[in-house]
Amino acid sequence: MTDKSSLNLLAVGYHTEIMEVVHRLINKHEGWTGTTAGSLLEALALLQQHPYDGILLCAGVSIADEAQIKQAAAAQNTRIIRHYGGGSGLLENEIRMAFFI
């Protein structure tokens, strides 16, 4: 189980305004570090450069893109979380459920 006080998360989504909000919401939690990728290529490059505890798949990420991201993250012990939108409470609960329940 991951220490809930320290999470390194990558959020991938293709709508800039939504990703700005997701970035802010993740990073407001003490110990949670969020990085965002606005394209599949950016996400794949970040996965090669850094280990992540979890990857949030956000607005616009297709099933085909999801498959490529999962393949790139397979060597890491990374949890994949599909984020469907909604308020800050939903995002936090999706992350907490993936790591702490």
Side-chain angles (χ1 to χ4, degrees):
M1 182 158 132
T2 303
D3 173 11
K4 65 182 164 186
S5 65
S6 176
L7 284 178
N8 188 23
L9 302 167
L10 173 63
V12 183
Y14 306 151
H15 293 94
T16 304
E17 298 83 13
I18 293 171
M19 295 313 296
E20 289 171 358
V21 173
V22 169
H23 184 263
R24 187 183 79 245
L25 293 173
I26 292 170
N27 286 295
K28 80 175 188 174
H29 289 278
E30 186 176 334
W32 290 11
T33 302
T35 303
T36 58
S39 70
L40 175 61
L41 291 178
E42 184 180 6
L44 296 175
L46 287 167
L47 285 168
Q48 289 179 347
Q49 298 169 13
H50 308 283
Y52 292 95
D53 300 305
I55 301 170
L56 285 105
L57 303 176
C58 303
V61 177
S62 69
I63 293 172
D65 290 357
E66 179 178 351
Q68 288 187 53
I69 291 167
K70 285 180 177 179
Q71 183 177 9
Q76 303 175 16
N77 189 19
T78 304
R79 297 181 189 208
I80 307 294
I81 305 160
R82 178 57 87 164
H83 175 59
Y84 293 100
S88 62
L90 179 60
L91 176 65
E92 180 178 348
N93 285 336
E94 289 170 339
I95 295 169
R96 290 191 182 282
M97 285 180 55
F99 288 97
F100 313 123
I101 295 179

